[in-house]
Amino acid sequence: ENSKLEYCKSGVGKATARAIEKLGLSGATVVTTGKACSLFMKLLITAERLKPKDISRLVMLHPDITPAAVNGLLVRRGGKIKGYGNALEVDVYFDSQKTMDKRLSIVRGSFPKGDAKVLDGKPTLALLTTAITGVEVAPATDVFDPAKIDDVGKSIHFGELQVIMHSVSKQYIHASDDITSEMHSLWRRQAADVAAREAKKDEEAAAADGVPLA
């Protein structure tokens, strides 16, 4: 699906486009990662079920853009930017400088606006927060304190939005749940795991630097 510049008539692409349409987005920020980045760029280039006012910013975290996707979607042989490439900010955060050097220019050919930098490491909650806010969040091991999320006093809240069918009216409705506490718990566990691994590395390094055996 990600290698051809045509409307998604079936499969994941069609399901994704329909789900986005039902959400009724307006000026939204959408975050994608991996191969989903190519799929979402395709939806924007083909302008399938999306309008310029629906999405104002696309954040791509560690995009996996295959050569087939480059040739099928992003190469602008006529030089003209198709779809809504000029209408929104596309921030791209690569997993390495090598990948950034290889893929950024081709992405900017279709989406010229936005930030780009390298954010290495696994796509954890802390990395996701950095990509969205632009403020680097260091792993912490102490009890979670919302006031310490960033330097300007903002708190981040997470929610899960589902489009479900009402049992009586049979109409699609939006159902949302606050999952902030669950995400905070996940963040603390990940921070604790990182701290444990670093402590183990320090112990191994100290042992290696000890007095050699006779």
Side-chain angles (χ1 to χ4, degrees):
E1 284 188 87
N2 291 344
S3 61
K4 296 181 180 180
L5 190 59
E6 59 184 24
Y7 287 101
C8 299
K9 298 179 180 180
S10 61
V12 176
K14 181 179 180 180
T16 303
R18 293 184 64 183
I20 293 172
E21 185 180 36
K22 291 175 182 178
L23 288 175
L25 301 178
S26 179
T29 294
V30 175
V31 181
T32 58
T33 187
K35 287 185 171 60
C37 298
S38 297
L39 174 60
F40 215 91
M41 285 192 291
K42 175 178 180 176
L43 296 179
L44 292 169
I45 292 172
T46 60
E48 185 172 357
R49 297 178 181 266
L50 293 175
K51 301 177 179 64
K53 66 179 180 63
D54 297 340
I55 300 170
S56 61
R57 183 187 178 207
L58 172 63
V59 177
M60 298 196 296
L61 179 61
H62 294 178
D64 183 0
I65 306 173
T66 64
V70 170
N71 295 327
L73 304 178
L74 300 177
V75 173
R76 300 271 69 81
R77 294 179 175 84
K80 182 179 179 182
I81 296 176
K82 296 183 179 180
Y84 301 138
N86 281 318
L88 75 163
E89 300 283 332
V90 176
D91 298 333
V92 192
Y93 298 99
F94 295 92
D95 56 359
S96 68
Q97 186 64 46
K98 180 180 179 181
T99 306
M100 181 173 175
D101 294 341
K102 186 177 181 181
R103 291 290 185 241
L104 179 58
S105 60
I106 194 68
V107 171
R108 286 291 175 249
S110 294
F111 302 95
K113 300 178 182 178
D115 189 22
K117 65 176 62 174
V118 175
L119 287 179
D120 56 356
K122 294 182 179 180
T124 59
L125 176 58
L127 205 63
L128 176 61
T129 303
T130 300
I132 295 175
T133 64
V135 178
E136 187 171 353
V137 179
T141 57
D142 56 352
V143 177
F144 181 79
D145 182 0
K148 294 182 179 179
I149 290 181
D150 55 37
D151 297 330
V152 292
K154 294 180 181 178
S155 295
I156 297 178
H157 299 273
F158 295 89
E160 181 180 38
L161 178 63
Q162 301 182 67
V163 180
I164 62 176
M165 182 178 290
H166 194 278
S167 59
V168 178
S169 66
K170 304 303 180 183
Q171 298 296 316
Y172 285 105
I173 61 173
H174 294 171
S176 60
D177 294 313
D178 186 355
I179 60 171
T180 304
S181 60
E182 289 88 341
M183 296 301 288
H184 290 170
S185 297
L186 176 61
W187 182 74
R188 288 196 295 269
R189 290 198 301 270
Q190 290 175 341
D193 291 341
V194 171
R197 289 196 296 269
E198 291 298 328
K200 185 177 180 180
K201 290 181 180 178
D202 292 342
E203 292 178 359
E204 293 174 348
D209 294 337
V211 178
L213 297 176

